[in-house]
Amino acid sequence: MTKPIYVTQPDLPPLEEFLPYLEKIWDSKVLTNGGPMHQQLEQALCDHLGVEHLALFANGTVALVTALQALRITGEVITTPYSFVATAHSLLWNGIKPVFVDVDPNTLNLDPARIEAAITPHTTAIMPVHCYGHPCDVNAIQRIADNYNLRVIYDAAHAFGVQDANGSVLNHGDLSVLSFHATKVFNTFEGGAIVCPDAKTKQRIDHLKNFGFVDEVTVVAPGINGKMSEFNAALGLLQLQHIDQAMARRKAIDAAYREQLAGVKGIHCLNDADEKVANHSYFPILVQPEYPLSRDALYQKLKDHNIYARRYFYPLISDFPMYRGMPSAQRGNLPVAADASAKVLCLPIYPDLLPQEQQRVIDIIRDA
Ligand code: T4K
């Protein structure tokens, strides 16, 4: 049997490069609670990403939950059904009602043209997702938010390093939330961050992620334990040294897929990146009716060859039991998302994917 090919593989620098970081941690015995590696990584990420303030977290989900707390969001929040469940779950964890709005057929991001119709007197915020790292229509979303006095929290879990014409895409909205999970472009095994525009908000977020503590005897909010450990922060510092190479490799893989799948009838490659800097975090294709196999048959065929493509995002969030009874979750309200969810397949893309391995994936798709 050939070596399995997964949808992604973490980018791991050589182990010996990590040992000096471990020695420092062992020597200092500072393992967590905002130690030196943590502080260094926050600054290094601000510099690398081109953002003003960033608070590290133990993972992206707790960062999303905390971002909503930081802005004291309540009531209803407009969001997309076409994402990983953590997006909507973060709302439920805060007792907020998600209101699902359909996506744009080209980007599969929240469709700004459909947002206004979903606004009610209870709406307080919009939570869009830069799906696959492709930027949302940030200007249109901000216009609506300004008109209706709504906050915008971007789930930017896929958008590490993505830039539009004005710089980092993470600078849009009130807050942006990153994930540094093992499967992401930049990983700290588990990890995440909130990007915020000012020092005061950053301070509130820092309190919230540390139980609400300001000092030994002062607790200002019912915070959570969302802190990133020194081990994870050290991994991040090391990863950052290799990130440019990793991005370049992803770009080459993306280009090869586009070139070789261009003539395949019924295979549509999404998001031919027009952003200034894309991160090529995923390679989603839509399997159209003109293709000889259904999406699921192609998924299975690849699997039979030990290639584990993934149907991100199927099922839709709105189809899971805790959401499907909601009026906005009804299929008739979300035709574009439902269609994409039935056709999408994310192909393997990661820095260590060898050219001959990618060729195997392409040949199987072309030979159907
Ligand atoms: N918002 C959005 C839009 C998100 O996509 C996510 C996470 C979040 C929020 C929440 O952020 P975190 O709380 O996770 O920081 C994966 C990830 O677990 C999840 O982080 C990610 N989105 C989601 C899209 O994908 P699964 O259930 O598909 O992962 P899994 O374990 O099946 O891994 C996929 C493939 O990756 C495996 O087949 C092999 C490879 N892999 C995976 C892991 C964990 C490895 O090679 N090594 C590993 O350690 O959810």
Side-chain angles (χ1 to χ4, degrees), residues 143-195:
R143 269 196 302 275
I144 297 165
D146 291 344
N147 280 346
Y148 291 88
N149 195 22
L150 305 176
R151 311 304 288 269
V152 182
I153 297 175
Y154 281 103
D155 180 337
H158 303 173
F160 185 91
V162 175
Q163 293 183 20
D164 61 19
N166 300 314
S168 174
V169 76
L170 305 171
N171 287 322
H172 295 284
D174 293 282
L175 299 174
S176 290
V177 177
L178 288 159
S179 164
F180 305 149
H181 182 260
T183 55
K184 296 296 192 285
V185 164
F186 170 82
N187 90 80
T188 58
F189 283 23
E190 289 275 3
I194 303 179
V195 172

Side-chain angles (χ1 to χ4, degrees), residues 80-366:
T80 167
Y82 193 84
S83 180
F84 189 60
V85 280
T87 309
H89 280 1
S90 72
L91 298 169
L92 286 197
W93 270 73
N94 278 294
I96 295 164
K97 180 176 163 193
V99 174
F100 297 108
V101 163
D102 209 357
V103 296
D104 176 289
N106 295 315
T107 62
L108 304 184
N109 286 330
L110 197 58
D111 185 349
R114 294 171 187 271
I115 292 176
E116 281 188 86
I119 295 173
T120 76
H122 305 291
T123 310
T124 56
I126 307 170
M127 185 182 269
V129 178
H130 299 300
C131 194
Y132 311 127
H134 190 78
C136 293
D137 188 343
V138 290
N139 295 328
I141 290 170
Q142 196 57 55
R143 269 196 302 275
I144 297 165
D146 291 344
N147 280 346
Y148 291 88
N149 195 22
L150 305 176
R151 311 304 288 269
V152 182
I153 297 175
Y154 281 103
D155 180 337
H158 303 173
F160 185 91
V162 175
Q163 293 183 20
D164 61 19
N166 300 314
S168 174
V169 76
L170 305 171
N171 287 322
H172 295 284
D174 293 282
L175 299 174
S176 290
V177 177
L178 288 159
S179 164
F180 305 149
H181 182 260
T183 55
K184 296 296 192 285
V185 164
F186 170 82
N187 90 80
T188 58
F189 283 23
E190 289 275 3
I194 303 179
V195 172
C196 62
D198 59 88
K200 195 170 163 224
T201 311
K202 154 99 167 120
Q203 193 181 51
R204 175 162 165 78
I205 291 168
D206 283 345
H207 292 156
L208 282 170
K209 79 177 188 191
N210 188 29
F211 313 98
F213 274 112
V214 172
D215 57 40
E216 275 183 46
V217 293
T218 317
V219 172
V220 290
I224 198 162
N225 181 356
K227 292 169 277 116
M228 176 182 276
S229 81
E230 288 293 278
F231 182 89
N232 302 94
L235 283 164
L237 287 169
L238 180 55
Q239 289 277 352
L240 262 189
Q241 295 179 26
H242 295 266
I243 191 74
D244 292 343
Q245 278 160 272
M247 293 283 227
R249 195 51 211 123
R250 284 177 176 276
K251 189 175 179 177
I253 293 167
D254 183 294
Y257 273 135
R258 277 180 208 282
E259 192 191 321
Q260 295 214 47
L261 295 176
V264 183
K265 212 170 164 204
I267 296 294
H268 172 66
C269 301
L270 270 160
N271 294 343
D272 194 357
D274 55 2
E275 49 269 21
K276 201 166 148 235
V277 178
N279 68 5
H280 311 288
S281 47
Y282 294 85
F283 196 86
I285 59 169
L286 295 183
V287 183
Q288 309 282 12
E290 305 81 62
Y291 189 71
L293 299 178
S294 70
R295 185 275 307 271
D296 288 343
L298 177 59
Y299 165 81
Q300 189 55 49
K301 187 173 176 204
L302 288 165
K303 214 171 181 178
D304 294 343
H305 286 81
N306 230 7
I307 297 165
Y308 299 90
R310 290 293 288 267
R311 292 166 290 189
Y312 296 134
F313 288 100
Y314 163 84
L316 289 179
I317 300 178
S318 45
D319 284 343
F320 288 115
M322 60 297 292
Y323 301 104
R324 65 179 169 223
M326 297 176 175
S328 70
Q330 301 315 302
R331 277 293 172 115
N333 185 46
L334 308 166
V336 180
D339 185 62
S341 181
K343 291 177 177 166
V344 74
L345 199 57
C346 285
L347 302 182
I349 186 165
Y350 49 90
D352 289 340
L353 183 69
L354 300 171
Q356 60 270 31
E357 291 175 326
Q358 183 178 16
Q359 198 58 51
R360 272 180 57 209
V361 178
I362 292 167
D363 289 346
I364 290 166
I365 298 172
R366 289 213 297 212

